[in-house]
Amino acid sequence: MKRWLAALAALLFAPAAPADVLVDNVNGYTLDREGQLVRFASMVIGDDGRVRQLYPRGARRPANERTQFRIDGRGRTLIPGLIDAHGHVMGLGFNAMQLDLSDTRSLEEAQAKIAAYAAANPSPRWIVGRGWNQERWGLGRFPTAADIDKVVSGRPVWLERVDGHAGWANSAALKEAGITAASKAPQGGKIEMAGRQPSGVFIDAAMDLVGKTVPAPLPVIRDRAFRRSQEMLLSNGITTVADMGTTAEDWMVIRRAGDQGQLNVRILSYAFGVEHLLAVAGTQPTPWLYDSRLKMVGVKLYSDGALGSRGAWLKQPYKDSPREKGLAFLSDTTLKNLMSRAAMDGFQVAVHAIGDAANAQLIDAVAELALTYKGDRRWRIEHAQIVDPADLPRFAQNGIIASMQPVHQSSDWRMAEARMGLERLGGAYAWRSMLANRVPLAFGSDFPVEHPNPFAGLAVAVSRQDAQGQPPGGWLPEQKLSLPQALAAFTQGGAYAAFAEDRLGSLERGRLADFIIIDRDIFEGATPQQIRETRVLETYLGGRKVWDTARAAPTR
C-alpha cells in the first residue's frame, strides 16, 4: 500500500512535461541530408524538444494534430541554430570584461587605451587584456615593454595578442615574473629580445613564463564571465559551440550554470590537454548532461603557433623573416603519444595546426594511428590554414575533419601574402578544395580571436572578402562556397565533427529544435554585405526561447 501511495504521489507531483508547440507562419529554411535547402512554413515540436514535423507553405496539417502552444513567426525568416565548431567560451567572457585592444589601429591608440583603462580601473592591481595586433598597426615590429611603460609603469600589465599566441608585458610584469636576460623559453616558445634583454613579448609556450604570475580569477568572476559569453553567443544565433580548450576549472563553471538551470547554450567540450581531459572525464567521454547541453567529447592539442606571431610551423622559411620557420610544439613521437593516450579510451582528438609543416606532421600521425585505432574516429585538424596542395587529398584518407574559420581568411590574407608569398598559398584557407577532396568541413570563428558573429563567417565564405569588400572579386576566389555549403559547415558540419549529428545540426524530424529568427531572408539574392549585416531577433533551444532582442524572460 505504501509503495502504491508513493508511486501515486510521484505521478501527481512530478513536474509537467513541456507541451507540444506549433511554430507557424514562418519563412523557414533547413538543410536535408544531402545539404540541399528545404523550405517550410510551420514546424511542430514535440514535448521532448525535438522536431516532430515540418510543413511546406500551403500544406494542411492533419485534423487530429494537437498542439498546446503556438509561436507566430509573423512571416519572418527562421533557420537552424548555428554551431560554432571552434571557440573559447570562457575566453570570450573574460575578453568582454577586460581591456580590449582589438579595435586599435596604431600603437599610439593602444597606449591611449591602456592609459585610460588604468585610470578607470584602479583595481585589481594587474591590468590584463587582449587584442593587440602589430600587423594592423603597421608597426613593422613587435611592441616592447617600454611601449607600455610610457603610459603605465607602476602596475604590472599583461596583454595577449589578438590570436592568443603571444603576450606583451611591461617592465613591472617582467620584474614580478622574475624574467631576466637568463630566462629560457620552453620548447614551442620564444622570448623576443631587445639586444640582450627580453623585449616584453613572449611567443606561444613562453607566454606561461609571465602568465603563470597573473592572479587567477575568483569563482564569482568566472561565473560572471560565463554569463557574458553565453549572452553574446545566443545574441549572435549560436546555439551550440565546440569549446576548444576546456580546463577543469572551466568545466566546473559550466556545471554550476547547469546545476542552477542557467545553461542555455549547448557546449561540446574538448579538454585543454590530456591532464584536464582525464581530470574531468576519466576513462571515456562524459554522457550528455543537462538535457543534451553539455558533453566532454575529446581533447584539444597544439602542433604549432599562429601566422601573426610567426609561430606557425612552415616547410620553408618565412618570406619576411628568412631565418625563421615557426615553432614545432611537439616532436612526432610526443604528438602521437598524446593522441594515442586519448584515442585509447575513445576520446576524439582535435589538434591545432596552422602552418603547412604542422598540418603535414598531423596528417602523418593520423595515418599511423589509424592502423591501431580503427573505426569512425573523426580526427580533427583545427584551423588547417596553410596546407601544401600536395597534402590536401591526404585529409580524406583517414576521415580527417577540417575545422576551419572563414573570418581568419578575411583578417589574414594580406599578412599571409607577406609571410609566405602568394606562390606558396595554393592550399591556404582552401574550403572548396577540401570539399572537392571529400573532406568534411566544420566552420567556426575562433572567438574571441574573431567576433563570434557567424553571419560574418557566412559572408566571407561566399565572397572571400573582408568587411570593406576587399580584395575586389575575392582573395583566391576559386575557394568560394555557395551559401548552402557555408550554412552546412556552420550547422550539419559542426554537429558531425563532434559526433552529435543524431540530435543537432538541422531541423529534420527527430533533431532538437534549436533555431533562430533573423531579420532578413539571406537566401533570396542577399549580397555578402547584407548577409554580414543580418541580425538575430530570437533564439530558441529545444523549442524554448532563450534570448530575444528585448531580453524577454525565457518562455514555456
Side-chain angles (χ1 to χ4, degrees):
M1 183 67 174
K2 289 182 180 179
R3 289 182 180 177
W4 183 85
L5 289 173
L8 178 61
L11 180 64
L12 291 174
F13 294 103
D20 289 359
V21 173
L22 170 66
V23 182
D24 201 12
N25 189 24
V26 296
N27 177 36
Y29 291 92
T30 189
L31 295 164
D32 63 20
R33 297 189 182 186
E34 285 70 47
Q36 300 299 310
L37 280 178
V38 174
R39 299 190 68 168
F40 61 92
S42 60
M43 170 173 60
V44 176
I45 303 168
D47 59 10
D48 58 357
R50 294 177 182 257
V51 176
R52 200 168 73 194
Q53 191 65 51
L54 298 178
Y55 293 101
R57 188 168 300 279
R60 299 186 63 180
R61 295 189 300 276
N64 62 350
E65 184 174 70
R66 295 287 184 265
T67 55
Q68 295 193 33
F69 291 94
R70 178 177 180 269
I71 298 171
D72 184 0
R74 306 202 304 275
R76 297 173 298 178
T77 296
L78 181 155
I79 64 173
L82 296 163
I83 297 176
D84 192 308
H86 186 115
H88 305 278
V89 173
M90 294 302 298
L92 180 65
F94 282 127
N95 194 62
M97 297 166 59
Q98 298 171 346
L99 172 59
D100 181 8
L101 299 177
S102 61
D103 61 349
T104 57
R105 293 167 294 182
S106 67
L107 174 60
E108 292 72 23
E109 278 191 19
Q111 289 171 318
K113 199 163 186 178
I114 294 168
Y117 185 90
N121 296 274
S123 64
R125 191 171 63 88
W126 274 77
I127 297 172
V128 179
R130 184 171 178 149
W132 60 272
N133 185 348
Q134 83 283 2
E135 296 295 326
R136 187 180 186 198
W137 296 344
L139 195 59
R141 62 173 175 85
F142 281 120
T144 66
D147 291 325
I148 305 179
D149 293 343
K150 290 178 181 178
V151 291
V152 177
S153 58
R155 297 164 63 185
V157 179
W158 177 240
L159 306 169
E160 290 191 11
R161 193 179 185 277
V162 64
D163 56 14
H165 285 269
W168 175 26
N170 68 347
S171 296
L174 296 179
K175 181 177 180 180
E176 196 143 332
I179 302 297
T180 69
S183 298
K184 302 296 183 183
Q187 181 179 352
K190 181 182 179 183
I191 301 173
E192 290 291 320
M193 305 296 288
R196 297 186 178 182
Q197 296 294 324
S199 72
V201 168
F202 300 77
I203 309 297
D204 288 310
M207 294 170 63
D208 194 49
L209 297 175
V210 178
K212 66 184 180 183
T213 309
V214 180
L218 297 172
V220 65
I221 302 300
R222 292 181 183 274
D223 292 345
R224 190 179 304 160
F226 177 77
R227 290 193 296 270
R228 289 287 293 274
S229 180
Q230 179 171 252
E231 178 81 1
M232 292 177 70
L233 294 173
L234 295 173
S235 68
N236 281 283
I238 297 168
T239 53
T240 299
V241 59
D243 187 38
M244 284 293 162
T246 311
T247 65
E249 293 85 358
D250 296 341
W251 179 263
M252 294 311 299
V253 172
I254 302 167
R255 288 296 304 263
R256 285 198 292 274
D259 291 344
Q260 296 164 7
Q262 296 176 359
L263 180 56
N264 291 323
V265 65
R266 303 191 196 277
I267 298 178
L268 300 156
S269 168
Y270 291 79
F272 181 60
V274 171
E275 181 180 350
H276 289 277
L277 176 75
L278 300 180
V280 170
T283 58
Q284 62 183 345
T286 70
W288 283 100
L289 303 171
Y290 310 114
D291 193 22
S292 293
R293 298 187 185 203
L294 177 63
K295 182 177 183 178
M296 182 163 280
V297 181
V299 66
K300 165 74 176 305
L301 305 173
Y302 286 84
S303 182
D304 70 342
L307 273 178
S309 53
R310 295 191 187 87
W313 181 25
L314 303 181
K315 292 184 175 183
Q316 300 298 325
Y318 281 88
K319 180 179 179 180
D320 59 354
S321 186
R323 289 186 292 182
E324 295 186 82
K325 285 188 177 182
L327 299 172
F329 282 15
L330 303 169
S331 68
D332 293 350
T333 299
T334 302
L335 175 62
K336 287 182 286 191
N337 284 344
L338 291 172
M339 294 173 69
S340 180
R341 180 62 189 87
M344 66 189 293
D345 284 333
F347 292 105
Q348 190 182 16
V349 178
V351 187
H352 165 118
I354 288 183
D356 52 9
N359 278 278
Q361 180 195 42
L362 187 49
I363 294 168
D364 289 342
V366 169
E368 183 172 331
L369 292 175
L371 299 174
T372 300
Y373 301 104
K374 307 289 186 178
D376 186 9
R377 293 287 175 163
R378 302 188 196 178
W379 313 92
R380 294 178 56 141
I381 295 184
E382 303 301 314
H383 308 307
Q385 285 184 13
I386 310 297
V387 179
D388 186 330
D391 288 329
L392 285 170
R394 302 175 63 207
F395 271 74
Q397 290 174 4
N398 292 293
I400 293 174
I401 291 165
S403 171
M404 305 179 75
Q405 299 76 44
V407 284
H408 282 332
Q409 178 267 303
S410 59
S411 295
D412 294 354
W413 65 273
R414 292 182 180 88
M415 179 181 65
E417 288 189 14
R419 292 283 190 267
M420 299 183 64
L422 192 59
E423 67 278 2
R424 292 167 57 190
L425 295 172
Y429 313 87
W431 315 317
R432 182 169 285 277
S433 292
M434 290 292 185
L435 291 182
N437 283 284
R438 301 185 180 277
V439 179
L441 271 184
F443 276 170
S445 65
D446 197 13
F447 64 78
V449 175
E450 302 279 359
H451 193 280
N453 177 13
F455 294 97
L458 289 169
V460 174
V462 301
S463 69
R464 305 280 291 190
Q465 294 176 318
D466 60 24
Q468 290 72 45
Q470 295 297 319
W475 187 73
L476 303 180
E478 65 274 11
Q479 296 293 345
K480 292 179 184 178
L481 299 181
S482 69
L483 186 53
Q485 286 172 328
L487 179 65
F490 267 112
T491 53
Q492 293 171 323
Y496 178 83
F499 290 94
E501 72 273 17
D502 64 326
R503 64 195 68 203
L504 303 176
S506 75
L507 295 174
E508 296 175 81
R509 184 171 183 171
R511 301 295 191 274
L512 288 163
D514 298 349
F515 61 91
I516 59 177
I517 295 176
I518 55 179
D519 67 351
R520 68 196 66 194
D521 187 338
I522 60 175
F523 300 101
E524 288 291 340
T527 66
Q529 186 61 26
Q530 288 168 335
I531 295 171
R532 182 184 292 273
E533 293 170 353
T534 300
R535 294 292 175 262
V536 177
L537 305 176
E538 299 174 7
T539 303
Y540 291 78
L541 206 73
R544 182 176 68 91
K545 185 189 291 185
V546 291
W547 185 88
D548 67 15
T549 51
R551 300 295 197 277
T555 58
R556 264 190 75 207

